Amino acid sequence: MDTTAQRQDVDVVHAVKEACLAAAITFGVLLPLIGFETVSNIDNKLVLHTRWGLLFSIVAIVGVGRLLMALVIAPRLAQRRVRPVTPAATAAATWLSVIGRWFGPFAVGFAIVYPILVVSLGGFSSALKWVDNFGIQILIYVMLGWGLNIVVGLAGLLDLGYVAFYAVGAYSYALLAKNFGFSFWILLPLAGILSSFWGILLGFPVLRLRGDYLAIVTLAFGEIIRIVLINFVDLTNGYAGIGGIPRPSFFGIPFTAGDDGFAAVFGLEFTPVYRTIFLYYLILALAFLTAFVTVRLRRLPVGRAWEALREDEIACRSLGINTTNTKLTAFAIGAMFGGFAGSFFAARQGFISPESFTFLESATVLSIVVLGGMGSQIGVAIAAALFIGGTEIMRDLDFLKQIFGPSFDPTQYRMLLFGFGMVIIMVFRPRGLISTRSPSIFLKERKTISSDLVKEGHG
Amino acid sequence: MEVFLQQLINGITLGSIYGLIAIGYTMVFGIIGMVNFAHGDVFMVSVFIALIAFLLVTAWLGIASITVALLIVLIVAMLFTSLVNWVIERLAYRPLRGSFRLAPLISAIGMSIFLSNFVQVTQGPRNKAIQPIVRGEFILLDHNNYAVALSYKQLIIWGITAVLLAAFWYLVAKTRLGREQRACEQDQKMAALVGVNVDRTISMTFVIAAALAAVAGTMYLMYYGVVSFADGFVPGVKAFTAAVLGGIGSLPGAVIGGLLIGLIETFWSAYFTIDYKDVAAFSVLAITLIFLPQGLFGRPDVEKV
């Protein structure tokens, strides 16, 4: 009795010490950037304003939080850890596996009925926001994620410049459609082919490179493409971008208000929502195409060679696999899907500029692939929905203004939370949200394996 | 000839700044094999810390002597940036030690996005400009009305870089900490077995990397006098390029790579078009790597089965 009381005392002292330390460190870290604010005064000279109130409240929150963590939460977690596995826990695990099995088909069904659901629930007015900002935006990233997944997840080649192929696709469509008047349906495959040429072009010099050298060269390549897009003003119109890009038509029927428009032909009242819904199904179909091709390719020799390359390059070469061709096909096919997504992006926006193709985009797509669980297609889709959907929701949280005052702008915190979320997910789930993989080849029955058994490649 | 000399001076100055940042990349890579993508943004944070310290020292404390003020700013920036990077390592990278290779990379990319947006939220999105801190120059050569000038601030940058590199070399080559770092770089498990505190050594590596970035940051502030929250990415990528060019993991390589990238950039801007200076730097990188895949001073990767 005596000893336990004593130990608790010691724990409290220790916790208080920890809390003070945490508060002190927080104070030190935040003192320059939160304690002071640099503001331009009337003479346009920088002066310092102090924000002691904000600084000390954050320090207090961290200190108290650390104290609670040490006194309340940590003991409970420790208790939970020693508790034996209960029947309830195993039941929950079976439920989870059932959900896991049916989640894929359910998600596909949901994606198909989503626009109908939105229109029937919220009418045409809400469709623009929910279908365009959410549905199409998320699906573009799902498609990019699946495309990059071929390079990073299957072949194990770290590509930090994927956005370059997205840009090539977008500019190919924009320039050819504007200057030569080709239709979207001709240019979509053409943009894919052009992008995959660029993929091979990049692939050749970097074949010898491995690991982080490959990463930096692909990053450099992405930057080079962007800089050329900015500076080659005669062709690309530089920073100003290309506007008035022709929109895709419904098998030759344009989505305009005129007599030959989509609404008039089908005897419907004109609204721009039809185009949005059409674009939604278009990108959905493209994304499914990417997923389908990936699934099928994994069963072909080339797909198996990709995975073999990821697992062990030396063994792969010893078995007579041509690693050069294997790497090049991975780059080319990944780039092709990036090009498809790019030309869709140009057709949807009607305007493109180099601003849309920064390193941040590459980083976002790569994060989606890794956060979802490399090689896991459903994981990539979930990560895209979570991150892109989440940051889009952050755009319209106007009710927060009523809490924090009118000067509070929630959109500012969008990317802040995005970066923070990336760190948090990696710290708690370094293998991504989905921690199982389904192998492409198996002996007797197909069963999922832990992602720890899958290598990440050296390239 | 005059143009060449002037560009040489400018290039070495820029290269010194890149070199100091590149050491941070190369050290962290050498010891834990991770590309610290947030390092460019740590550099940007250090510029802001230096800016705030400079305003504090001059406006609030009223220190008139530029030398004293710069010295205080340098030390303050080094201290606080080191603390920031120590915390980052503790929170975002240490839990991922021993995890798979891409996890710390993604964590670092997330950290980079977080840092630049944190500065945007707390300090505002606009460019922050200050009056030139150091004025004046030596005229080295005046020929055909083209004067080759070596400004005081360039001289200060060269001097500080040289002194710090010497101190840094001493730290790595001669002290216990440096020995422990080199030991961890070779074999962490073995180093732990002979009594090296691996976690502490890695933390110290991040602290030193941040301190050098803060030196670069202070000099950047003194040289350009303007900074914004987005200024971490480009110097970061250039410095990383420099580190890879010199052979990632090699400390002299990082400095030489930094100088090379700085020189390539300034000479390209002077003799060709300034628009494509980044393309020039990146192309040199790609070409070097094709013929020398391990960089200029790197150890070649031995493939083991």
Side-chain angles (χ1 to χ4, degrees):
Chain A
M1 199 62 204
D2 214 341
T3 49
T4 50
Q6 222 169 21
R7 205 171 64 212
Q8 268 174 355
D9 277 352
V10 173
D11 274 352
V12 170
V13 171
H14 182 69
V16 170
K17 267 187 194 163
E18 286 274 296
C20 288
L21 187 67
I25 291 172
T26 316
F27 177 76
V29 168
L30 299 182
L31 175 66
L33 290 174
I34 288 194
F36 298 97
E37 187 185 14
T38 47
V39 187
S40 303
N41 66 4
I42 307 167
D43 305 330
N44 212 16
K45 281 179 101 177
L46 282 184
V47 288
L48 287 179
H49 288 186
T50 54
R51 289 182 288 203
W52 299 124
L54 182 66
L55 176 64
F56 284 114
S57 38
I58 295 176
V59 168
I61 289 170
V62 170
V64 172
R66 186 71 186 85
L67 194 66
L68 286 179
M69 184 77 197
L71 288 182
V72 184
I73 301 171
R76 285 208 185 152
L77 282 180
Q79 248 173 18
R80 190 176 296 171
R81 215 163 282 152
V82 295
R83 203 179 290 159
V85 182
T86 57
T90 43
T94 14
W95 267 108
L96 273 181
S97 79
V98 169
I99 292 175
R101 196 173 309 142
W102 291 103
F103 184 79
F106 172 77
V108 170
F110 180 76
I112 291 172
V113 296
Y114 176 72
I116 302 167
L117 216 63
V118 168
V119 171
S120 56
L121 285 180
F124 281 138
S125 54
S126 71
L128 275 181
K129 181 180 141 197
W130 286 100
V131 175
D132 196 47
N133 291 355
F134 277 82
I136 297 181
Q137 191 73 9
I138 289 172
L139 282 173
I140 289 179
Y141 280 93
V142 170
M143 180 168 176
L144 286 173
W146 281 344
L148 185 62
N149 192 25
I150 296 175
V151 185
V152 180
L154 293 186
L157 304 163
L158 183 54
D159 185 352
L160 287 177
Y162 192 60
V163 77
F165 308 123
Y166 187 46
V168 169
Y171 272 88
S172 312
Y173 173 70
L175 291 171
L176 292 173
K178 262 199 96 162
N179 295 333
F180 299 103
F182 292 140
S183 96
F184 177 77
W185 297 104
I186 297 173
L187 289 178
L188 182 71
L190 198 61
I193 291 168
L194 287 174
S195 291
S196 62
F197 274 140
W198 278 96
I200 294 171
L201 211 64
L202 166 68
F204 264 117
V206 303
L207 280 173
R208 281 156 49 104
L209 304 176
R210 306 181 64 178
D212 300 273
Y213 295 102
L214 179 75
I216 183 69
V217 173
T218 49
L219 191 160
F221 177 72
E223 284 298 297
I224 287 175
I225 294 260
R226 193 174 64 87
I227 296 165
V228 170
L229 288 179
I230 290 172
N231 291 309
F232 200 168
V233 180
D234 290 342
L235 182 70
T236 64
N237 203 16
Y239 272 119
I242 302 174
I245 300 166
R247 300 307 196 83
S249 58
F250 184 77
F251 301 105
I253 308 169
F255 289 89
T256 48
D259 281 343
D260 55 350
F262 179 83
V265 169
F266 288 90
L268 299 163
E269 198 182 331
F270 172 76
T271 136
V273 174
Y274 293 128
R275 189 203 329 256
T276 311
I277 293 175
F278 170 68
L279 286 173
Y280 176 88
Y281 281 116
L282 183 59
I283 184 69
L284 188 65
L286 285 171
F288 280 157
L289 178 76
T290 316
F292 179 73
V293 169
T294 312
V295 168
R296 300 303 299 177
L297 278 176
R298 280 181 69 175
R299 301 193 181 173
L300 286 179
V302 64
R304 294 196 174 154
W306 289 339
E307 290 189 274
L309 188 71
R310 177 190 66 200
E311 297 295 316
D312 194 329
E313 189 171 340
I314 297 174
C316 205
R317 251 184 289 167
S318 325
L319 288 171
I321 293 174
N322 184 339
T323 50
T324 309
N325 285 355
T326 311
K327 284 182 183 175
L328 281 183
T329 45
F331 264 112
I333 292 178
M336 181 182 76
F337 288 117
F340 286 161
S343 65
F344 173 82
F345 175 77
R348 171 224 183 188
Q349 301 286 99
F351 168 79
I352 50 170
S353 74
E355 294 284 297
S356 312
F357 307 106
T358 55
F359 171 68
L360 186 64
E361 294 295 309
S362 291
T364 308
V365 179
L366 181 69
S367 320
I368 284 172
V369 173
V370 177
L371 293 170
M374 282 200 319
S376 162
Q377 300 212 319
I378 194 83
V380 170
I382 293 173
L386 194 71
F387 271 83
I388 306 304
T391 45
E392 288 297 320
I393 283 179
M394 287 290 290
R395 279 188 204 277
D396 41 39
L397 291 179
D398 279 339
F399 69 91
L400 284 176
K401 281 191 182 174
Q402 289 161 358
I403 305 172
F404 294 104
S407 62
F408 181 81
D409 182 10
T411 54
Q412 274 193 337
Y413 296 88
R414 223 161 55 89
M415 293 315 285
L416 191 74
L417 287 180
F418 181 76
F420 189 66
M422 275 164 74
V423 176
I424 292 292
I425 293 185
M426 272 298 113
V427 168
F428 288 102
R429 302 211 62 143
R431 272 296 183 167
L433 294 169
I434 301 291
S435 55
T436 57
R437 304 283 179 272
S438 56
S440 4
I441 324 173
F442 44 90
L443 268 179
K444 290 201 180 77
E445 53 168 339
R446 172 182 291 274
K447 50 183 173 187
T448 53
I449 54 168
S450 162
S451 54
D452 293 332
L453 299 172
V454 177
K455 291 216 175 62
E456 46 180 325
H458 309 279
Chain B
M1 183 61 199
E2 289 77 27
V3 178
F4 177 83
L5 212 59
Q6 182 68 63
Q7 295 312 325
L8 191 69
I9 292 170
N10 296 347
I12 290 174
T13 313
L14 186 64
S16 310
I17 294 178
Y18 286 156
L20 285 171
I21 311 173
I23 289 179
Y25 277 106
T26 225
M27 271 172 80
V28 168
F29 186 89
I31 202 158
I32 52 174
M34 164 198 153
V35 180
N36 184 5
F37 251 98
H39 197 60
D41 292 277
V42 170
F43 160 76
M44 179 272 302
V45 166
S46 83
V47 184
F48 267 90
I49 292 175
L51 171 73
I52 287 165
F54 178 75
L55 291 175
L56 260 181
V57 166
T58 50
W60 286 26
L61 301 179
I63 293 174
S65 159
I66 291 292
T67 324
V68 177
L70 264 183
L71 213 61
I72 294 175
V73 169
L74 189 68
I75 290 166
V76 167
M78 282 168 83
L79 279 179
F80 279 96
T81 315
S82 302
L83 184 65
V84 168
N85 214 20
W86 182 79
V87 170
I88 291 173
E89 194 268 338
R90 200 60 189 259
L91 295 180
Y93 308 145
R94 186 176 291 184
L96 293 171
R97 190 117 0 108
S99 176
F100 83 136
R101 187 171 59 97
L102 284 181
L105 180 78
I106 299 295
S107 186
I109 291 177
M111 208 21 125
S112 150
I113 296 173
F114 176 81
L115 282 177
S116 64
N117 282 280
F118 179 76
V119 172
Q120 184 188 9
V121 167
T122 54
Q123 299 293 327
R126 293 175 58 189
N127 272 349
K128 307 282 177 188
I130 52 169
Q131 300 293 316
I133 302 173
V134 182
R135 291 166 200 269
E137 56 191 16
F138 293 115
I139 303 292
L140 295 184
L141 199 72
D142 199 344
H143 186 62
N144 299 337
N145 290 330
Y146 187 92
V148 177
L150 172 64
S151 63
Y152 292 160
K153 55 187 181 188
Q154 284 171 329
L155 211 59
I156 294 174
I157 289 176
W158 292 9
I160 291 181
T161 309
V163 169
L164 272 157
L165 283 182
F168 176 70
W169 172 82
Y170 179 79
L171 184 79
V172 172
K174 301 281 175 191
T175 63
R176 187 191 165 90
L177 177 66
R179 263 199 311 280
E180 287 177 349
Q181 265 175 353
R182 282 177 290 142
C184 287
E185 200 173 313
Q186 284 183 2
D187 191 335
Q188 282 185 18
K189 207 175 278 174
M190 196 62 214
L193 279 175
V194 296
V196 175
N197 187 341
V198 175
D199 273 345
R200 201 185 66 99
T201 312
I202 293 173
S203 280
M204 284 314 291
T205 308
F206 275 84
V207 164
I208 296 169
L212 290 175
V215 176
T218 312
M219 298 191 310
Y220 181 92
L221 181 75
M222 185 185 72
Y223 197 52
Y224 295 104
V226 59
V227 63
S228 92
F229 73 97
D231 281 352
F233 177 68
V234 173
V237 169
K238 292 282 180 52
F240 182 35
T241 307
V244 174
L245 186 63
I248 198 154
S250 148
L251 297 174
V255 180
I256 306 246
L259 286 174
L260 277 178
I261 293 283
L263 287 171
I264 290 166
E265 218 183 288
T266 34
F267 277 110
W268 185 279
S269 313
Y271 290 105
F272 302 103
T273 150
I274 194 163
D275 294 337
Y276 288 102
K277 68 180 164 104
D278 294 356
V279 173
F282 291 139
S283 305
V284 168
L285 170 83
I287 293 165
T288 315
L289 286 183
I290 289 165
F291 294 107
L292 270 175
Q294 71 277 6
L296 296 174
F297 295 88
R299 281 188 299 269
D301 248 358
V302 183
E303 285 185 60
K304 287 184 201 149
V305 180

